[in-house]
Amino acid sequence: MAAGDDASSSQKTSPIAAAALVVATAAGALGFVAGVLASRGWPLRKARRRRDEICQCGAILPHTCTAEELARHKTSVRHRKNLHQLSNAPQVVVCEEVGEYRSAAVGLVNAKDNVLEVGCHVGGTSKVIAGLCRKFVGIDRQPDLVAQARKNLPDHQFEIIDAFDAQKILALAQTMKPARFTKVFVDISGSRELSTVVRLMGVYENALRPDVLIVKSQPLKRLLLRARLWINHPACIGYVEPEP
């Protein structure tokens, strides 16, 4: 009986042992291939999982959403509200220095535009903008700078207004009716702290609703250069970037 039992047990374990041998062999082969690829400089990456998406309204749509859930989102109040807010918000263009700022004027301003320049100084950039648009108005809080700008560009309008004086900005916009400022250029010193720049952007977005807001700000540009949406971050999408 003992010899028979041993033979029977050996027959039963043989398939298991064979399977284990196959698995071990396959693992060894995969390890060898991975080693060869790594030795040749091929980066080994984690498999990408299906990425979340961003709806046109700005909402994050998880990759697990079904077609029915996506369709339901498209008809939701949230979706319509987000689209409405985005449609009324100006495009924002950020520049770091005067060369970029004036290049943006040349590339973005056309003969149909009414342009407000905030922080016109003595009219250096004003001259570039005014030569491109239908109507130009420059403002600065320093009377001596405004006086010089008027002297340099006598055919254009310059006003002594503090950039943060929303009431005077609105009053100035009223003089444009039924037209409006379609583009606003903002230069209150390119190195001004970020909090001040963002607060000022809010003033003009809410007061004037231009199509495009062009801002000269070194801190804001550098913030945007290093910024990343979480939905596109490697840690979110399960992707390991190869080391340089």
CSV table of all heavy atoms in Angstrom, one decimal, residues 56-108:
chain,number,residue,atom,x,y,z
A,56,GLN,N,-14.8,69.8,-21.9
A,56,GLN,CA,-14.6,71.2,-22.4
A,56,GLN,C,-15.1,72.2,-21.4
A,56,GLN,O,-14.7,73.4,-21.5
A,56,GLN,CB,-15.4,71.3,-23.7
A,56,GLN,CG,-16.9,71.2,-23.5
A,56,GLN,CD,-17.7,71.2,-24.8
A,56,GLN,OE1,-18.3,70.3,-25.2
A,56,GLN,NE2,-17.6,72.3,-25.5
A,57,CYS,N,-15.8,71.8,-20.4
A,57,CYS,CA,-16.3,72.8,-19.4
A,57,CYS,C,-15.3,72.9,-18.3
A,57,CYS,O,-15.4,73.7,-17.3
A,57,CYS,CB,-17.6,72.4,-18.8
A,57,CYS,SG,-17.6,71.0,-17.7
A,58,GLY,N,-14.2,72.0,-18.3
A,58,GLY,CA,-13.2,72.1,-17.3
A,58,GLY,C,-13.3,71.0,-16.2
A,58,GLY,O,-12.4,70.8,-15.4
A,59,ALA,N,-14.4,70.3,-16.2
A,59,ALA,CA,-14.6,69.2,-15.2
A,59,ALA,C,-13.8,68.0,-15.5
A,59,ALA,O,-13.6,67.7,-16.7
A,59,ALA,CB,-16.1,68.9,-15.1
A,60,ILE,N,-13.3,67.3,-14.5
A,60,ILE,CA,-12.5,66.1,-14.7
A,60,ILE,C,-13.5,64.9,-14.8
A,60,ILE,O,-14.4,64.7,-14.0
A,60,ILE,CB,-11.6,65.8,-13.5
A,60,ILE,CG1,-10.5,66.9,-13.4
A,60,ILE,CG2,-10.9,64.4,-13.6
A,60,ILE,CD1,-9.5,66.7,-12.3
A,61,LEU,N,-13.3,64.2,-15.9
A,61,LEU,CA,-14.2,63.0,-16.2
A,61,LEU,C,-13.3,61.7,-15.9
A,61,LEU,O,-12.4,61.4,-16.7
A,61,LEU,CB,-14.6,63.0,-17.6
A,61,LEU,CG,-15.4,64.3,-18.1
A,61,LEU,CD1,-15.7,64.2,-19.6
A,61,LEU,CD2,-16.7,64.4,-17.3
A,62,PRO,N,-13.6,61.0,-14.8
A,62,PRO,CA,-12.8,59.8,-14.5
A,62,PRO,C,-12.9,58.8,-15.6
A,62,PRO,O,-13.9,58.7,-16.3
A,62,PRO,CB,-13.5,59.3,-13.2
A,62,PRO,CG,-14.2,60.5,-12.6
A,62,PRO,CD,-14.6,61.3,-13.8
A,63,HIS,N,-11.8,58.1,-15.7
A,63,HIS,CA,-11.7,57.1,-16.8
A,63,HIS,C,-12.7,55.9,-16.6
A,63,HIS,O,-13.0,55.2,-17.5
A,63,HIS,CB,-10.3,56.5,-16.9
A,63,HIS,CG,-9.9,55.6,-15.7
A,63,HIS,ND1,-9.5,56.2,-14.5
A,63,HIS,CD2,-9.9,54.3,-15.5
A,63,HIS,CE1,-9.2,55.2,-13.7
A,63,HIS,NE2,-9.5,54.0,-14.3
A,64,THR,N,-13.3,55.9,-15.4
A,64,THR,CA,-14.3,54.8,-15.1
A,64,THR,C,-15.7,55.2,-15.5
A,64,THR,O,-16.6,54.4,-15.4
A,64,THR,CB,-14.3,54.5,-13.6
A,64,THR,OG1,-14.5,55.7,-12.9
A,64,THR,CG2,-13.0,53.9,-13.2
A,65,CYS,N,-15.9,56.4,-16.0
A,65,CYS,CA,-17.2,56.9,-16.4
A,65,CYS,C,-17.8,56.1,-17.6
A,65,CYS,O,-17.0,55.8,-18.6
A,65,CYS,CB,-17.2,58.4,-16.9
A,65,CYS,SG,-17.2,59.5,-15.5
A,66,THR,N,-19.0,55.7,-17.5
A,66,THR,CA,-19.7,55.0,-18.6
A,66,THR,C,-20.2,56.0,-19.6
A,66,THR,O,-20.2,57.2,-19.3
A,66,THR,CB,-20.8,54.2,-18.1
A,66,THR,OG1,-21.8,55.1,-17.5
A,66,THR,CG2,-20.4,53.2,-17.0
A,67,ALA,N,-20.6,55.5,-20.8
A,67,ALA,CA,-21.1,56.4,-21.8
A,67,ALA,C,-22.4,57.1,-21.3
A,67,ALA,O,-22.6,58.3,-21.6
A,67,ALA,CB,-21.5,55.6,-23.0
A,68,GLU,N,-23.2,56.4,-20.5
A,68,GLU,CA,-24.4,57.0,-19.9
A,68,GLU,C,-24.0,58.2,-18.9
A,68,GLU,O,-24.7,59.2,-18.9
A,68,GLU,CB,-25.3,56.0,-19.2
A,68,GLU,CG,-25.9,54.9,-20.2
A,68,GLU,CD,-24.9,53.9,-20.6
A,68,GLU,OE1,-23.8,53.8,-20.1
A,68,GLU,OE2,-25.2,53.2,-21.6
A,69,GLU,N,-23.0,57.9,-18.1
A,69,GLU,CA,-22.6,59.0,-17.2
A,69,GLU,C,-22.0,60.2,-17.9
A,69,GLU,O,-22.3,61.3,-17.5
A,69,GLU,CB,-21.6,58.4,-16.2
A,69,GLU,CG,-22.2,57.4,-15.2
A,69,GLU,CD,-21.1,56.6,-14.4
A,69,GLU,OE1,-20.0,56.5,-14.9
A,69,GLU,OE2,-21.4,56.2,-13.3
A,70,LEU,N,-21.3,60.0,-18.9
A,70,LEU,CA,-20.7,61.1,-19.7
A,70,LEU,C,-21.9,61.9,-20.3
A,70,LEU,O,-21.8,63.1,-20.3
A,70,LEU,CB,-19.8,60.6,-20.8
A,70,LEU,CG,-18.5,59.9,-20.3
A,70,LEU,CD1,-17.7,59.4,-21.5
A,70,LEU,CD2,-17.6,60.9,-19.5
A,71,ALA,N,-22.8,61.2,-20.9
A,71,ALA,CA,-24.0,61.9,-21.5
A,71,ALA,C,-24.8,62.7,-20.5
A,71,ALA,O,-25.2,63.8,-20.7
A,71,ALA,CB,-24.9,60.9,-22.2
A,72,ARG,N,-24.9,62.1,-19.3
A,72,ARG,CA,-25.6,62.8,-18.2
A,72,ARG,C,-24.9,64.1,-17.8
A,72,ARG,O,-25.5,65.1,-17.5
A,72,ARG,CB,-25.8,61.8,-17.0
A,72,ARG,CG,-26.8,62.3,-16.0
A,72,ARG,CD,-27.4,61.2,-15.1
A,72,ARG,NE,-26.4,60.4,-14.5
A,72,ARG,CZ,-26.1,59.1,-14.8
A,72,ARG,NH1,-26.9,58.5,-15.8
A,72,ARG,NH2,-25.2,58.4,-14.2
A,73,HIS,N,-23.5,64.0,-17.7
A,73,HIS,CA,-22.8,65.2,-17.4
A,73,HIS,C,-23.0,66.3,-18.4
A,73,HIS,O,-23.1,67.4,-18.0
A,73,HIS,CB,-21.3,64.8,-17.3
A,73,HIS,CG,-20.4,66.0,-17.2
A,73,HIS,ND1,-20.3,66.8,-16.1
A,73,HIS,CD2,-19.6,66.6,-18.2
A,73,HIS,CE1,-19.5,67.8,-16.3
A,73,HIS,NE2,-19.0,67.7,-17.6
A,74,LYS,N,-23.0,65.9,-19.7
A,74,LYS,CA,-23.2,66.9,-20.7
A,74,LYS,C,-24.5,67.7,-20.6
A,74,LYS,O,-24.6,68.8,-21.1
A,74,LYS,CB,-23.1,66.3,-22.1
A,74,LYS,CG,-21.7,65.6,-22.4
A,74,LYS,CD,-20.7,66.6,-22.7
A,74,LYS,CE,-19.4,66.0,-23.2
A,74,LYS,NZ,-18.4,67.0,-23.6
A,75,THR,N,-25.5,67.1,-20.0
A,75,THR,CA,-26.8,67.8,-19.8
A,75,THR,C,-27.0,68.4,-18.4
A,75,THR,O,-28.0,68.9,-18.1
A,75,THR,CB,-27.9,66.8,-20.1
A,75,THR,OG1,-27.8,65.7,-19.2
A,75,THR,CG2,-27.8,66.3,-21.6
A,76,SER,N,-25.9,68.3,-17.6
A,76,SER,CA,-26.0,68.8,-16.2
A,76,SER,C,-26.0,70.3,-16.1
A,76,SER,O,-25.4,71.0,-16.9
A,76,SER,CB,-25.0,68.1,-15.4
A,76,SER,OG,-23.7,68.6,-15.7
A,77,VAL,N,-26.5,70.8,-15.0
A,77,VAL,CA,-26.4,72.2,-14.7
A,77,VAL,C,-24.9,72.6,-14.5
A,77,VAL,O,-24.5,73.7,-14.9
A,77,VAL,CB,-27.2,72.5,-13.4
A,77,VAL,CG1,-27.0,74.0,-12.9
A,77,VAL,CG2,-28.7,72.2,-13.6
A,78,ARG,N,-24.1,71.8,-13.9
A,78,ARG,CA,-22.7,72.1,-13.7
A,78,ARG,C,-22.0,72.3,-15.0
A,78,ARG,O,-21.2,73.3,-15.2
A,78,ARG,CB,-22.0,70.9,-12.9
A,78,ARG,CG,-20.5,71.1,-12.7
A,78,ARG,CD,-19.9,69.8,-12.2
A,78,ARG,NE,-18.5,70.0,-12.0
A,78,ARG,CZ,-17.6,69.0,-11.7
A,78,ARG,NH1,-18.1,67.8,-11.6
A,78,ARG,NH2,-16.3,69.3,-11.6
A,79,HIS,N,-22.3,71.5,-16.0
A,79,HIS,CA,-21.7,71.6,-17.3
A,79,HIS,C,-22.0,72.9,-18.0
A,79,HIS,O,-21.2,73.7,-18.5
A,79,HIS,CB,-22.1,70.4,-18.2
A,79,HIS,CG,-21.5,70.4,-19.6
A,79,HIS,ND1,-20.2,70.1,-19.8
A,79,HIS,CD2,-22.1,70.7,-20.8
A,79,HIS,CE1,-20.0,70.2,-21.1
A,79,HIS,NE2,-21.1,70.6,-21.7
A,80,ARG,N,-23.3,73.2,-17.9
A,80,ARG,CA,-23.8,74.5,-18.6
A,80,ARG,C,-23.3,75.7,-17.9
A,80,ARG,O,-22.9,76.7,-18.5
A,80,ARG,CB,-25.3,74.5,-18.6
A,80,ARG,CG,-26.0,73.5,-19.5
A,80,ARG,CD,-27.4,73.8,-19.8
A,80,ARG,NE,-28.2,73.8,-18.5
A,80,ARG,CZ,-28.8,72.8,-18.0
A,80,ARG,NH1,-28.7,71.6,-18.5
A,80,ARG,NH2,-29.5,72.9,-16.9
A,81,LYS,N,-23.2,75.6,-16.5
A,81,LYS,CA,-22.7,76.8,-15.8
A,81,LYS,C,-21.2,77.0,-16.0
A,81,LYS,O,-20.8,78.1,-16.2
A,81,LYS,CB,-22.9,76.5,-14.3
A,81,LYS,CG,-22.5,77.7,-13.4
A,81,LYS,CD,-22.8,77.4,-11.9
A,81,LYS,CE,-22.3,78.5,-11.0
A,81,LYS,NZ,-22.6,78.2,-9.6
A,82,ASN,N,-20.4,75.9,-16.1
A,82,ASN,CA,-19.0,76.0,-16.4
A,82,ASN,C,-18.8,76.6,-17.7
A,82,ASN,O,-17.9,77.5,-17.9
A,82,ASN,CB,-18.3,74.7,-16.2
A,82,ASN,CG,-18.2,74.2,-14.8
A,82,ASN,OD1,-18.4,75.0,-13.9
A,82,ASN,ND2,-17.8,73.0,-14.6
A,83,LEU,N,-19.5,76.1,-18.7
A,83,LEU,CA,-19.3,76.6,-20.1
A,83,LEU,C,-19.7,78.1,-20.2
A,83,LEU,O,-19.0,78.9,-20.9
A,83,LEU,CB,-20.2,75.8,-21.1
A,83,LEU,CG,-19.8,74.4,-21.4
A,83,LEU,CD1,-20.8,73.8,-22.4
A,83,LEU,CD2,-18.4,74.5,-22.1
A,84,HIS,N,-20.7,78.5,-19.5
A,84,HIS,CA,-21.1,79.9,-19.5
A,84,HIS,C,-20.0,80.8,-18.9
A,84,HIS,O,-19.7,81.9,-19.4
A,84,HIS,CB,-22.4,80.1,-18.7
A,84,HIS,CG,-22.8,81.6,-18.6
A,84,HIS,ND1,-23.3,82.3,-19.6
A,84,HIS,CD2,-22.8,82.4,-17.5
A,84,HIS,CE1,-23.6,83.5,-19.2
A,84,HIS,NE2,-23.3,83.6,-18.0
A,85,GLN,N,-19.4,80.3,-17.8
A,85,GLN,CA,-18.3,81.1,-17.1
A,85,GLN,C,-17.1,81.2,-18.0
A,85,GLN,O,-16.5,82.2,-18.1
A,85,GLN,CB,-18.0,80.5,-15.8
A,85,GLN,CG,-19.1,80.6,-14.7
A,85,GLN,CD,-18.7,79.9,-13.4
A,85,GLN,OE1,-17.9,79.0,-13.4
A,85,GLN,NE2,-19.3,80.3,-12.3
A,86,LEU,N,-16.8,80.1,-18.7
A,86,LEU,CA,-15.6,80.1,-19.6
A,86,LEU,C,-15.8,81.0,-20.8
A,86,LEU,O,-14.9,81.6,-21.3
A,86,LEU,CB,-15.3,78.7,-20.0
A,86,LEU,CG,-14.7,77.7,-18.9
A,86,LEU,CD1,-14.6,76.3,-19.4
A,86,LEU,CD2,-13.3,78.3,-18.5
A,87,SER,N,-17.1,81.0,-21.3
A,87,SER,CA,-17.3,81.8,-22.5
A,87,SER,C,-17.2,83.3,-22.2
A,87,SER,O,-17.0,84.1,-23.1
A,87,SER,CB,-18.7,81.4,-23.0
A,87,SER,OG,-19.7,81.9,-22.1
A,88,ASN,N,-17.5,83.7,-21.0
A,88,ASN,CA,-17.4,85.1,-20.6
A,88,ASN,C,-16.0,85.5,-20.1
A,88,ASN,O,-15.8,86.7,-19.8
A,88,ASN,CB,-18.4,85.4,-19.5
A,88,ASN,CG,-19.8,85.4,-20.1
A,88,ASN,OD1,-20.0,85.6,-21.3
A,88,ASN,ND2,-20.8,85.0,-19.3
A,89,ALA,N,-15.1,84.5,-19.9
A,89,ALA,CA,-13.8,84.8,-19.4
A,89,ALA,C,-12.8,85.2,-20.5
A,89,ALA,O,-12.8,84.5,-21.6
A,89,ALA,CB,-13.3,83.7,-18.6
A,90,PRO,N,-11.9,86.2,-20.3
A,90,PRO,CA,-11.0,86.5,-21.3
A,90,PRO,C,-9.9,85.5,-21.4
A,90,PRO,O,-9.5,84.8,-20.5
A,90,PRO,CB,-10.4,87.9,-20.9
A,90,PRO,CG,-10.6,87.8,-19.4
A,90,PRO,CD,-11.8,87.1,-19.1
A,91,GLN,N,-9.3,85.4,-22.6
A,91,GLN,CA,-8.1,84.6,-22.8
A,91,GLN,C,-6.9,85.4,-22.1
A,91,GLN,O,-6.9,86.6,-22.2
A,91,GLN,CB,-7.8,84.4,-24.3
A,91,GLN,CG,-6.5,83.7,-24.6
A,91,GLN,CD,-6.2,83.7,-26.0
A,91,GLN,OE1,-6.9,84.3,-26.9
A,91,GLN,NE2,-5.1,83.0,-26.4
A,92,VAL,N,-6.0,84.7,-21.5
A,92,VAL,CA,-4.9,85.4,-20.8
A,92,VAL,C,-3.6,85.0,-21.5
A,92,VAL,O,-3.3,83.9,-21.7
A,92,VAL,CB,-4.9,85.0,-19.3
A,92,VAL,CG1,-3.6,85.6,-18.6
A,92,VAL,CG2,-6.1,85.4,-18.6
A,93,VAL,N,-2.8,86.0,-21.9
A,93,VAL,CA,-1.5,85.9,-22.5
A,93,VAL,C,-0.5,86.5,-21.6
A,93,VAL,O,-0.7,87.7,-21.1
A,93,VAL,CB,-1.5,86.5,-23.9
A,93,VAL,CG1,-0.1,86.4,-24.5
A,93,VAL,CG2,-2.5,85.9,-24.8
A,94,VAL,N,0.5,85.8,-21.2
A,94,VAL,CA,1.5,86.2,-20.2
A,94,VAL,C,2.9,86.4,-20.9
A,94,VAL,O,3.4,85.5,-21.6
A,94,VAL,CB,1.6,85.2,-19.1
A,94,VAL,CG1,2.7,85.8,-18.0
A,94,VAL,CG2,0.3,85.1,-18.4
A,95,CYS,N,3.5,87.6,-20.7
A,95,CYS,CA,4.8,87.9,-21.2
A,95,CYS,C,5.8,88.2,-20.1
A,95,CYS,O,5.3,88.5,-19.0
A,95,CYS,CB,4.7,89.1,-22.1
A,95,CYS,SG,3.5,89.0,-23.4
A,96,GLU,N,7.1,88.0,-20.3
A,96,GLU,CA,8.0,88.3,-19.3
A,96,GLU,C,8.7,89.6,-19.4
A,96,GLU,O,9.0,90.2,-18.4
A,96,GLU,CB,9.1,87.1,-19.2
A,96,GLU,CG,10.1,87.3,-18.1
A,96,GLU,CD,11.0,86.1,-18.1
A,96,GLU,OE1,10.9,85.1,-18.9
A,96,GLU,OE2,11.9,86.1,-17.2
A,97,GLU,N,9.0,90.0,-20.6
A,97,GLU,CA,9.8,91.3,-20.7
A,97,GLU,C,9.3,92.1,-21.9
A,97,GLU,O,8.3,91.7,-22.6
A,97,GLU,CB,11.3,91.0,-20.9
A,97,GLU,CG,11.7,89.8,-21.8
A,97,GLU,CD,11.6,90.2,-23.2
A,97,GLU,OE1,11.9,91.3,-23.6
A,97,GLU,OE2,11.3,89.3,-24.1
A,98,VAL,N,9.8,93.3,-22.1
A,98,VAL,CA,9.2,94.2,-23.1
A,98,VAL,C,9.2,93.7,-24.5
A,98,VAL,O,8.2,93.9,-25.2
A,98,VAL,CB,10.0,95.6,-23.0
A,98,VAL,CG1,9.6,96.5,-24.1
A,98,VAL,CG2,9.9,96.2,-21.7
A,99,GLY,N,10.2,93.0,-24.9
A,99,GLY,CA,10.3,92.4,-26.2
A,99,GLY,C,9.1,91.5,-26.5
A,99,GLY,O,8.4,91.6,-27.5
A,100,GLU,N,8.8,90.6,-25.5
A,100,GLU,CA,7.7,89.7,-25.7
A,100,GLU,C,6.4,90.5,-25.7
A,100,GLU,O,5.4,90.2,-26.5
A,100,GLU,CB,7.6,88.7,-24.5
A,100,GLU,CG,8.7,87.6,-24.5
A,100,GLU,CD,8.5,86.6,-23.4
A,100,GLU,OE1,7.4,86.5,-22.9
A,100,GLU,OE2,9.5,86.0,-23.0
A,101,TYR,N,6.3,91.5,-24.8
A,101,TYR,CA,5.1,92.3,-24.6
A,101,TYR,C,4.7,93.0,-25.9
A,101,TYR,O,3.6,92.9,-26.4
A,101,TYR,CB,5.3,93.3,-23.5
A,101,TYR,CG,4.1,94.0,-22.9
A,101,TYR,CD1,3.1,93.3,-22.4
A,101,TYR,CD2,4.1,95.4,-22.9
A,101,TYR,CE1,2.0,93.9,-21.9
A,101,TYR,CE2,3.1,96.0,-22.3
A,101,TYR,CZ,2.0,95.3,-21.8
A,101,TYR,OH,0.9,96.0,-21.2
A,102,ARG,N,5.7,93.6,-26.6
A,102,ARG,CA,5.4,94.3,-27.8
A,102,ARG,C,5.2,93.4,-29.0
A,102,ARG,O,4.4,93.6,-29.9
A,102,ARG,CB,6.6,95.3,-28.1
A,102,ARG,CG,6.7,96.4,-27.1
A,102,ARG,CD,7.8,97.4,-27.3
A,102,ARG,NE,7.8,98.4,-26.2
A,102,ARG,CZ,8.8,99.3,-26.1
A,102,ARG,NH1,9.8,99.4,-27.0
A,102,ARG,NH2,8.7,100.2,-25.2
A,103,SER,N,5.9,92.2,-28.9
A,103,SER,CA,5.6,91.2,-29.9
A,103,SER,C,4.2,90.7,-29.9
A,103,SER,O,3.5,90.4,-30.9
A,103,SER,CB,6.6,90.0,-29.8
A,103,SER,OG,6.4,89.0,-30.7
A,104,ALA,N,3.7,90.5,-28.6
A,104,ALA,CA,2.3,90.1,-28.4
A,104,ALA,C,1.3,91.1,-29.0
A,104,ALA,O,0.3,90.8,-29.6
A,104,ALA,CB,2.0,89.9,-26.9
A,105,ALA,N,1.7,92.4,-28.9
A,105,ALA,CA,0.8,93.4,-29.4
A,105,ALA,C,0.7,93.3,-30.9
A,105,ALA,O,-0.3,93.4,-31.5
A,105,ALA,CB,1.4,94.8,-29.0
A,106,VAL,N,1.9,93.1,-31.6
A,106,VAL,CA,1.9,93.0,-33.0
A,106,VAL,C,1.1,91.7,-33.5
A,106,VAL,O,0.4,91.7,-34.5
A,106,VAL,CB,3.4,92.9,-33.5
A,106,VAL,CG1,3.4,92.6,-35.0
A,106,VAL,CG2,4.1,94.2,-33.2
A,107,GLY,N,1.2,90.7,-32.7
A,107,GLY,CA,0.6,89.4,-33.1
A,107,GLY,C,-0.9,89.3,-32.8
A,107,GLY,O,-1.6,88.6,-33.4
A,108,LEU,N,-1.4,90.1,-31.8
A,108,LEU,CA,-2.7,89.9,-31.3
A,108,LEU,C,-3.7,91.1,-31.6
A,108,LEU,O,-4.9,90.9,-31.7
A,108,LEU,CB,-2.7,89.7,-29.8
A,108,LEU,CG,-2.0,88.5,-29.3
A,108,LEU,CD1,-1.9,88.5,-27.7
A,108,LEU,CD2,-2.7,87.2,-29.7
